[in-house]
Coordinates of all heavy atoms in Angstrom, one line a residue:
M1 N -16.7 6.2 -40.2 CA -16.9 5.0 -39.4 C -15.8 5.1 -38.4 O -14.5 5.2 -38.8 CB -16.8 3.8 -40.2 CG -17.1 2.5 -39.4 SD -17.3 1.1 -40.5 CE -18.0 0.0 -39.5
P2 N -16.0 5.0 -37.1 CA -14.9 5.2 -36.1 C -14.0 3.9 -36.1 O -14.5 2.7 -36.4 CB -15.7 5.1 -34.7 CG -17.0 4.8 -35.0 CD -17.3 4.9 -36.5
K3 N -12.8 4.0 -35.8 CA -11.8 2.9 -35.7 C -11.9 2.2 -34.3 O -12.1 3.0 -33.4 CB -10.4 3.4 -35.9 CG -10.1 3.9 -37.3 CD -8.7 3.9 -37.7 CE -8.4 4.3 -39.0 NZ -8.4 3.3 -39.9
N4 N -11.9 0.9 -34.2 CA -11.9 0.3 -32.9 C -10.5 0.1 -32.3 O -9.6 -0.3 -33.0 CB -12.6 -1.1 -33.2 CG -14.0 -1.1 -33.6 OD1 -14.7 -0.3 -33.2 ND2 -14.3 -1.9 -34.5
I5 N -10.4 0.6 -31.1 CA -9.2 0.5 -30.5 C -9.2 -0.3 -29.1 O -10.2 -0.2 -28.3 CB -8.7 1.9 -30.0 CG1 -8.4 2.9 -31.1 CG2 -7.5 1.8 -29.1 CD1 -8.0 4.2 -30.8
L6 N -8.3 -1.3 -29.1 CA -8.2 -2.1 -27.8 C -7.1 -1.6 -27.0 O -5.9 -1.5 -27.5 CB -8.1 -3.6 -28.1 CG -7.8 -4.5 -27.0 CD1 -9.1 -4.5 -26.1 CD2 -7.5 -5.9 -27.4
L7 N -7.4 -1.1 -25.8 CA -6.3 -0.4 -25.0 C -6.2 -1.3 -23.7 O -7.2 -1.3 -23.0 CB -6.8 1.0 -24.7 CG -5.9 1.8 -23.6 CD1 -4.4 1.9 -24.0 CD2 -6.5 3.1 -23.4
T8 N -5.1 -2.0 -23.5 CA -4.8 -2.7 -22.3 C -4.2 -1.8 -21.3 O -3.6 -0.9 -21.5 CB -3.9 -4.0 -22.6 OG1 -2.7 -3.4 -22.8 CG2 -4.5 -4.7 -23.6
G9 N -4.3 -2.2 -20.1 CA -3.8 -1.4 -18.9 C -4.5 -0.2 -18.6 O -3.8 0.8 -18.2
A10 N -5.7 -0.2 -18.9 CA -6.6 1.0 -18.8 C -7.0 1.4 -17.3 O -7.6 2.5 -17.2 CB -7.9 1.0 -19.7
S11 N -6.7 0.6 -16.4 CA -7.2 0.9 -15.0 C -6.4 1.9 -14.3 O -6.8 2.4 -13.2 CB -7.3 -0.4 -14.2 OG -6.2 -1.1 -14.1
S12 N -5.2 2.1 -14.9 CA -4.3 3.1 -14.1 C -3.1 3.6 -15.0 O -2.9 3.0 -16.1 CB -3.7 2.4 -12.8 OG -2.8 1.4 -13.2
G13 N -2.4 4.5 -14.5 CA -1.2 5.0 -15.2 C -1.3 5.5 -16.5 O -2.3 6.1 -16.8
I14 N -0.4 5.1 -17.4 CA -0.3 5.6 -18.8 C -1.5 5.1 -19.5 O -2.2 6.0 -20.4 CB 0.9 5.2 -19.5 CG1 2.2 5.8 -18.9 CG2 0.9 5.6 -21.0 CD1 3.5 5.3 -19.3
G15 N -2.0 4.0 -19.4 CA -3.2 3.5 -20.1 C -4.4 4.1 -19.8 O -5.2 4.6 -20.6
K16 N -4.6 4.6 -18.4 CA -5.8 5.3 -18.1 C -5.8 6.7 -18.7 O -6.7 7.3 -19.0 CB -5.9 5.4 -16.6 CG -7.0 6.1 -16.0 CD -7.1 6.1 -14.5 CE -8.2 6.8 -13.9 NZ -8.3 6.8 -12.5
S17 N -4.6 7.3 -18.6 CA -4.4 8.7 -19.2 C -4.7 8.7 -20.7 O -5.4 9.6 -21.2 CB -3.0 9.2 -19.0 OG -2.7 9.3 -17.6
I18 N -4.2 7.7 -21.5 CA -4.5 7.5 -22.8 C -6.1 7.4 -23.1 O -6.6 8.1 -24.0 CB -3.7 6.4 -23.5 CG1 -2.3 6.7 -23.5 CG2 -4.2 6.2 -24.9 CD1 -1.3 5.6 -23.8
A19 N -6.7 6.6 -22.3 CA -8.0 6.4 -22.4 C -8.8 7.6 -22.2 O -9.8 8.0 -22.9 CB -8.6 5.4 -21.4
Q20 N -8.5 8.4 -21.2 CA -9.0 9.8 -21.0 C -9.0 10.7 -22.1 O -9.9 11.5 -22.4 CB -8.5 10.4 -19.7 CG -8.9 9.7 -18.4 CD -8.2 10.0 -17.1 OE1 -7.2 10.5 -17.2 NE2 -8.7 9.8 -16.0
L21 N -7.8 10.6 -22.8 CA -7.6 11.5 -24.0 C -8.4 11.0 -25.2 O -9.1 11.9 -25.9 CB -6.2 11.5 -24.4 CG -5.3 12.4 -23.5 CD1 -3.7 12.1 -23.9 CD2 -5.6 13.9 -23.4
L22 N -8.5 9.7 -25.4 CA -9.2 9.1 -26.6 C -10.7 9.1 -26.5 O -11.4 9.1 -27.4 CB -8.5 7.6 -26.9 CG -7.1 7.6 -27.4 CD1 -6.7 6.2 -27.5 CD2 -7.1 8.4 -28.8
I23 N -11.2 8.9 -25.2 CA -12.6 8.9 -25.1 C -13.3 10.0 -25.6 O -14.5 10.1 -26.0 CB -12.9 8.6 -23.6 CG1 -14.3 8.0 -23.4 CG2 -12.9 9.9 -22.7 CD1 -14.3 6.5 -23.6
Q24 N -12.6 11.3 -25.6 CA -13.3 12.4 -26.1 C -13.3 12.5 -27.6 O -14.0 13.5 -28.2 CB -12.5 13.7 -25.6 CG -12.4 13.7 -24.1 CD -11.4 14.7 -23.6 OE1 -11.0 15.6 -24.2 NE2 -10.9 14.6 -22.4
N25 N -12.6 11.6 -28.3 CA -12.5 11.7 -29.7 C -13.5 10.8 -30.4 O -13.4 9.5 -30.2 CB -11.1 11.4 -30.2 CG -10.9 11.5 -31.7 OD1 -11.7 11.5 -32.5 ND2 -9.6 11.8 -31.9
E26 N -14.4 11.2 -31.2 CA -15.5 10.5 -31.8 C -15.1 9.6 -32.9 O -15.8 8.8 -33.5 CB -16.7 11.3 -32.2 CG -17.4 11.9 -30.9 CD -18.5 12.8 -31.3 OE1 -18.9 12.8 -32.6 OE2 -19.1 13.5 -30.5
E27 N -13.7 9.8 -33.4 CA -13.3 9.0 -34.5 C -12.9 7.7 -34.0 O -12.4 6.7 -34.8 CB -12.0 9.7 -35.0 CG -12.2 11.0 -35.7 CD -11.0 11.7 -36.2 OE1 -10.0 10.9 -36.6 OE2 -10.9 12.8 -36.3
Y28 N -13.0 7.2 -32.7 CA -12.5 6.0 -32.1 C -13.7 5.5 -31.2 O -14.3 6.1 -30.6 CB -11.3 6.2 -31.3 CG -10.1 6.8 -32.0 CD1 -9.6 8.1 -31.6 CD2 -9.5 6.2 -33.1 CE1 -8.6 8.7 -32.2 CE2 -8.4 6.8 -33.8 CZ -8.0 8.1 -33.3 OH -6.9 8.6 -34.1
K29 N -13.6 4.1 -31.3 CA -14.6 3.4 -30.4 C -13.5 2.6 -29.5 O -12.8 1.8 -30.0 CB -15.6 2.4 -31.1 CG -16.4 1.7 -30.0 CD -17.4 0.8 -30.8 CE -18.2 0.1 -29.7 NZ -19.3 -0.7 -30.4
L30 N -13.5 2.8 -28.2 CA -12.6 2.3 -27.3 C -13.1 1.0 -26.6 O -14.3 1.0 -26.1 CB -12.1 3.2 -26.2 CG -11.3 4.5 -26.7 CD1 -11.1 5.4 -25.4 CD2 -10.1 4.1 -27.2
F31 N -12.2 -0.1 -26.5 CA -12.5 -1.2 -25.7 C -11.3 -1.3 -24.8 O -10.2 -1.3 -25.0 CB -12.5 -2.5 -26.5 CG -13.6 -2.6 -27.5 CD1 -13.4 -1.9 -28.8 CD2 -14.9 -2.9 -27.2 CE1 -14.4 -1.9 -29.7 CE2 -15.9 -3.0 -28.1 CZ -15.6 -2.5 -29.3
L32 N -11.6 -0.9 -23.5 CA -10.6 -0.7 -22.5 C -10.5 -2.0 -21.6 O -11.5 -2.5 -21.2 CB -11.1 0.5 -21.5 CG -11.3 1.7 -22.3 CD1 -11.8 2.9 -21.3 CD2 -10.0 2.2 -23.0
V33 N -9.3 -2.5 -21.3 CA -9.1 -3.6 -20.4 C -8.2 -3.3 -19.3 O -7.2 -2.6 -19.5 CB -8.5 -4.7 -21.3 CG1 -8.1 -5.9 -20.5 CG2 -9.3 -5.1 -22.6
G34 N -8.6 -3.6 -18.3 CA -7.7 -3.5 -17.0 C -7.9 -4.6 -16.0 O -8.9 -5.3 -16.2
R35 N -7.0 -4.9 -15.2 CA -7.2 -5.9 -14.2 C -8.0 -5.6 -13.0 O -8.7 -6.3 -12.4 CB -5.7 -6.3 -13.8 CG -5.7 -7.6 -12.9 CD -4.4 -7.9 -12.4 NE -3.6 -8.4 -13.6 CZ -2.4 -9.0 -13.6 NH1 -2.1 -9.5 -12.4 NH2 -1.8 -9.3 -14.7
R36 N -7.9 -4.2 -12.6 CA -8.5 -3.8 -11.5 C -9.8 -3.0 -11.8 O -9.8 -2.3 -12.9 CB -7.7 -2.9 -10.6 CG -6.5 -3.6 -10.0 CD -5.6 -2.7 -9.5 NE -4.7 -2.1 -10.5 CZ -3.9 -1.0 -10.4 NH1 -3.9 -0.4 -9.3 NH2 -3.2 -0.7 -11.5
L37 N -10.8 -3.0 -11.0 CA -12.0 -2.3 -11.2 C -11.8 -1.0 -10.4 O -11.4 -1.0 -9.1 CB -13.3 -3.0 -10.7 CG -13.8 -4.1 -11.5 CD1 -15.0 -4.8 -10.8 CD2 -14.1 -3.6 -12.9
N38 N -11.9 0.2 -11.0 CA -11.8 1.4 -10.3 C -12.7 2.4 -11.1 O -13.6 2.1 -11.7 CB -10.4 2.0 -10.0 CG -9.7 2.1 -11.3 OD1 -10.2 2.3 -12.4 ND2 -8.3 2.1 -11.3
D39 N -12.3 3.7 -11.1 CA -13.2 4.6 -11.8 C -13.1 4.4 -13.3 O -14.0 5.0 -14.1 CB -12.9 6.1 -11.4 CG -11.4 6.5 -11.7 OD1 -10.5 5.6 -11.7 OD2 -11.2 7.7 -12.0
S40 N -12.1 3.7 -13.8 CA -12.1 3.4 -15.3 C -13.3 2.6 -15.6 O -13.7 2.6 -16.8 CB -10.8 2.5 -15.5 OG -9.7 3.4 -15.4
Q41 N -14.0 1.8 -14.7 CA -15.0 0.9 -15.1 C -16.2 1.8 -15.6 O -17.2 1.3 -16.2 CB -15.4 0.2 -13.9 CG -16.0 0.9 -12.8 CD -16.2 0.0 -11.7 OE1 -16.1 -1.2 -11.6 NE2 -16.5 0.6 -10.4
F42 N -16.2 3.0 -15.3 CA -17.3 3.9 -15.8 C -17.2 4.4 -17.2 O -18.1 5.0 -17.7 CB -17.5 5.1 -14.8 CG -17.8 4.6 -13.5 CD1 -16.8 4.7 -12.5 CD2 -18.9 4.1 -13.2 CE1 -17.1 4.3 -11.1 CE2 -19.3 3.6 -11.9 CZ -18.3 3.7 -11.0
F43 N -16.0 4.1 -17.9 CA -15.9 4.3 -19.4 C -16.8 3.3 -20.0 O -17.0 2.2 -19.6 CB -14.5 4.2 -19.8 CG -13.6 5.2 -19.4 CD1 -12.3 4.8 -18.7 CD2 -13.8 6.5 -19.7 CE1 -11.5 5.9 -18.4 CE2 -12.8 7.5 -19.4 CZ -11.8 7.1 -18.7
N44 N -17.4 3.6 -21.2 CA -18.1 2.6 -21.9 C -17.1 1.6 -22.5 O -16.0 1.9 -22.7 CB -18.7 3.3 -23.2 CG -19.8 4.2 -22.8 OD1 -20.4 4.0 -21.8 ND2 -20.1 5.2 -23.6
N45 N -17.6 0.4 -22.4 CA -16.7 -0.8 -22.9 C -15.5 -1.0 -22.2 O -14.4 -1.3 -22.7 CB -16.3 -0.5 -24.5 CG -17.5 -0.4 -25.4 OD1 -18.6 -1.2 -25.2 ND2 -17.6 0.4 -26.4
Y46 N -15.7 -0.9 -20.9 CA -14.4 -1.2 -19.9 C -14.6 -2.7 -19.5 O -15.7 -3.1 -19.1 CB -14.5 -0.4 -18.7 CG -13.3 -0.8 -17.8 CD1 -12.0 -0.2 -18.0 CD2 -13.5 -1.6 -16.7 CE1 -11.0 -0.6 -17.3 CE2 -12.5 -2.0 -15.9 CZ -11.3 -1.5 -16.1 OH -10.1 -1.8 -15.3
F47 N -13.5 -3.5 -19.7 CA -13.6 -4.9 -19.2 C -12.5 -5.2 -18.2 O -11.4 -4.7 -18.4 CB -13.3 -5.8 -20.5 CG -14.4 -5.6 -21.6 CD1 -14.0 -4.7 -22.6 CD2 -15.5 -6.3 -21.6 CE1 -14.9 -4.5 -23.7 CE2 -16.5 -6.0 -22.5 CZ -16.2 -5.2 -23.6
S48 N -12.8 -5.9 -17.1 CA -11.9 -6.2 -16.1 C -11.4 -7.7 -16.4 O -12.3 -8.6 -16.3 CB -12.5 -6.1 -14.7 OG -11.5 -6.5 -13.7
F49 N -10.2 -8.0 -16.8 CA -9.7 -9.3 -17.3 C -8.2 -9.3 -16.8 O -7.6 -8.2 -16.9 CB -9.9 -9.5 -18.8 CG -11.2 -9.8 -19.2 CD1 -12.0 -8.8 -19.7 CD2 -11.7 -11.1 -19.1 CE1 -13.3 -9.1 -20.1 CE2 -13.0 -11.4 -19.5 CZ -13.8 -10.3 -20.0
D50 N -7.8 -10.5 -16.6 CA -6.5 -10.8 -16.3 C -5.9 -11.3 -17.6 O -6.1 -12.4 -18.1 CB -6.4 -11.9 -15.3 CG -4.9 -12.2 -14.8 OD1 -3.9 -11.9 -15.6 OD2 -4.7 -13.2 -14.1
L51 N -5.0 -10.5 -18.3 CA -4.5 -10.9 -19.6 C -3.4 -11.9 -19.5 O -2.9 -12.3 -20.6 CB -4.0 -9.6 -20.3 CG -5.1 -8.6 -20.6 CD1 -4.5 -7.3 -21.3 CD2 -6.1 -9.2 -21.7
S52 N -3.0 -12.4 -18.4 CA -2.0 -13.4 -18.3 C -2.7 -14.8 -18.2 O -2.1 -15.9 -18.2 CB -1.2 -13.2 -16.9 OG -2.0 -13.5 -15.8
N53 N -4.0 -14.8 -18.3 CA -4.8 -16.0 -18.4 C -5.5 -16.1 -19.7 O -6.3 -15.4 -20.1 CB -5.9 -15.9 -17.1 CG -6.7 -17.2 -17.1 OD1 -7.1 -17.7 -18.1 ND2 -7.0 -17.5 -15.9
I54 N -5.0 -17.3 -20.4 CA -5.5 -17.5 -21.8 C -7.1 -17.7 -21.9 O -7.7 -17.2 -22.8 CB -4.9 -18.7 -22.4 CG1 -5.2 -18.7 -23.9 CG2 -5.2 -20.1 -21.8 CD1 -4.5 -17.7 -24.7
S55 N -7.8 -18.3 -20.9 CA -9.1 -18.4 -20.8 C -9.8 -17.1 -20.7 O -11.0 -16.7 -21.3 CB -9.6 -19.5 -19.8 OG -9.4 -18.9 -18.6
S56 N -9.2 -16.2 -19.9 CA -9.7 -14.8 -19.7 C -9.7 -14.1 -21.1 O -10.6 -13.3 -21.4 CB -8.8 -14.1 -18.6 OG -9.4 -12.8 -18.5
I57 N -8.4 -14.3 -21.8 CA -8.4 -13.6 -23.2 C -9.4 -14.1 -24.1 O -10.1 -13.3 -24.9 CB -6.9 -13.8 -23.6 CG1 -5.9 -13.1 -22.8 CG2 -7.0 -13.4 -25.1 CD1 -4.5 -13.5 -23.1
N58 N -9.7 -15.3 -24.1 CA -10.7 -16.0 -25.1 C -12.0 -15.3 -24.8 O -12.9 -15.1 -25.6 CB -10.8 -17.5 -25.0 CG -9.5 -18.1 -25.6 OD1 -8.9 -17.4 -26.5 ND2 -9.1 -19.2 -25.2
T59 N -12.5 -15.2 -23.4 CA -13.6 -14.5 -23.1 C -13.7 -13.2 -23.5 O -14.8 -12.7 -23.9 CB -13.9 -14.6 -21.4 OG1 -13.7 -16.0 -21.1 CG2 -15.1 -14.1 -21.1
L60 N -12.6 -12.5 -23.3 CA -12.6 -11.0 -23.8 C -12.9 -11.0 -25.3 O -13.7 -10.1 -25.7 CB -11.3 -10.4 -23.5 CG -10.9 -9.1 -24.0 CD1 -12.0 -8.0 -23.3 CD2 -9.6 -8.5 -23.8
I61 N -12.3 -11.8 -26.2 CA -12.5 -11.8 -27.6 C -13.9 -12.0 -27.9 O -14.5 -11.3 -28.8 CB -11.5 -12.8 -28.2 CG1 -10.1 -12.4 -28.1 CG2 -12.0 -13.0 -29.6 CD1 -9.1 -13.6 -28.4
K62 N -14.6 -12.9 -27.2 CA -15.9 -13.2 -27.4 C -16.8 -12.0 -27.1 O -17.8 -11.7 -27.8 CB -16.4 -14.4 -26.8 CG -15.9 -15.7 -27.2 CD -16.3 -17.0 -26.5 CE -15.5 -18.2 -26.9 NZ -15.7 -19.3 -26.0
K63 N -16.5 -11.4 -26.0 CA -17.3 -10.1 -25.6 C -17.2 -9.0 -26.6 O -18.1 -8.2 -26.8 CB -16.9 -9.8 -24.2 CG -17.5 -10.6 -23.2 CD -17.3 -10.1 -21.7 CE -18.0 -11.0 -20.8 NZ -18.8 -10.3 -19.8
I64 N -15.9 -8.7 -27.0 CA -15.7 -7.6 -27.9 C -16.4 -7.9 -29.3 O -17.1 -7.0 -29.8 CB -14.2 -7.4 -28.1 CG1 -13.6 -6.8 -26.8 CG2 -14.0 -6.4 -29.3 CD1 -12.2 -6.6 -26.9
N65 N -16.2 -8.9 -29.8 CA -16.8 -9.4 -31.0 C -16.9 -8.5 -32.2 O -17.9 -8.2 -32.7 CB -18.3 -9.9 -30.7 CG -19.1 -10.6 -31.8 OD1 -18.3 -11.3 -32.5 ND2 -20.3 -10.5 -31.8
C66 N -15.8 -7.8 -32.5 CA -15.6 -7.0 -33.7 C -14.2 -7.0 -34.0 O -13.3 -7.4 -33.3 CB -16.2 -5.7 -33.4 SG -15.2 -4.6 -32.3
D67 N -13.8 -6.4 -35.2 CA -12.5 -6.2 -35.6 C -11.7 -5.1 -34.9 O -12.4 -4.1 -34.7 CB -12.5 -6.0 -37.1 CG -12.7 -7.1 -38.0 OD1 -12.7 -8.3 -37.5 OD2 -13.2 -6.9 -39.2
I68 N -10.6 -5.3 -34.5 CA -9.8 -4.3 -33.8 C -8.9 -3.8 -34.7 O -8.1 -4.4 -35.5 CB -9.0 -4.8 -32.7 CG1 -10.0 -5.4 -31.4 CG2 -8.1 -3.8 -32.0 CD1 -10.9 -4.4 -30.9
D69 N -8.9 -2.4 -34.9 CA -8.0 -1.6 -35.9 C -6.7 -1.2 -35.3 O -5.7 -1.2 -35.9 CB -8.8 -0.4 -36.5 CG -10.0 -0.7 -37.1 OD1 -10.1 -1.4 -38.1 OD2 -11.1 -0.1 -36.7
I70 N -6.7 -0.9 -34.0 CA -5.6 -0.4 -33.3 C -5.5 -1.1 -32.0 O -6.4 -1.2 -31.2 CB -5.6 1.1 -33.1 CG1 -5.7 1.9 -34.5 CG2 -4.5 1.7 -32.4 CD1 -6.1 3.3 -34.4
L71 N -4.3 -1.6 -31.6 CA -4.0 -2.1 -30.3 C -3.0 -1.1 -29.5 O -1.9 -0.8 -30.2 CB -3.3 -3.5 -30.4 CG -2.8 -4.0 -29.1 CD1 -3.9 -4.3 -28.1 CD2 -2.1 -5.5 -29.3
I72 N -3.4 -0.7 -28.4 CA -2.4 0.0 -27.5 C -2.2 -0.8 -26.3 O -3.2 -1.0 -25.5 CB -2.9 1.4 -27.2 CG1 -3.3 2.2 -28.4 CG2 -1.9 2.2 -26.3 CD1 -4.0 3.6 -28.2
N73 N -1.0 -1.3 -26.0 CA -0.7 -2.3 -25.0 C 0.1 -1.5 -23.9 O 1.3 -1.3 -24.1 CB 0.1 -3.5 -25.5 CG 0.2 -4.5 -24.4 OD1 -0.4 -4.4 -23.3 ND2 1.1 -5.5 -24.8
C74 N -0.7 -1.2 -22.8 CA -0.1 -0.5 -21.7 C -0.2 -1.4 -20.5 O 0.2 -1.0 -19.4 CB -0.8 0.8 -21.5 SG -0.6 2.0 -22.7
A75 N -0.4 -2.7 -20.5 CA -0.5 -3.5 -19.5 C 0.8 -3.9 -19.0 O 1.8 -4.1 -19.7 CB -1.2 -4.9 -19.8
G76 N 1.0 -3.7 -17.6 CA 2.3 -3.8 -17.0 C 2.7 -5.2 -16.7 O 2.2 -6.2 -16.9

């Protein structure tokens, strides 16, 4: 059973690079979060949210609706 990974900061930089590496590994199901929409939005399970806004975070939790095994926080 794949582990669920929540990766923040996935729209650019280090977060996007990590997403590109992990997306190829079938041992993980990625939930990617970024503030900006760009080519990262074409990954499965990409969410565009502002993590500095608590109501946005609550909406994200409802959309993901599963247990997260690993958190990778790359949001700047």
Side-chain angles (χ1 to χ4, degrees):
M1 183 173 198
K3 293 199 180 268
N4 295 320
I5 297 177
L6 176 61
L7 171 61
T8 67
S11 61
S12 64
I14 294 170
K16 183 176 177 182
S17 295
I18 292 170
Q20 290 170 335
L21 290 172
L22 292 177
I23 200 85
Q24 301 169 21
N25 191 330
E26 294 180 7
E27 294 180 28
Y28 305 113
K29 181 174 181 183
L30 294 177
F31 296 93
L32 306 172
V33 179
R35 188 180 297 202
R36 292 174 279 170
L37 288 176
N38 59 21
D39 62 332
S40 295
Q41 69 190 346
F42 299 108
F43 289 127
N44 291 335
N45 297 320
Y46 179 84
F47 302 95
S48 179
F49 284 98
D50 179 1
L51 294 176
S52 67
N53 181 322
I54 191 68
S55 66
S56 181
I57 293 170
N58 290 332
T59 302
L60 174 64
I61 291 168
K62 289 176 187 173
K63 284 193 177 225
I64 291 176
N65 194 29
C66 72
D67 292 334
I68 298 299
D69 300 303
I70 300 167
L71 169 65
I72 303 172
N73 188 10
C74 293

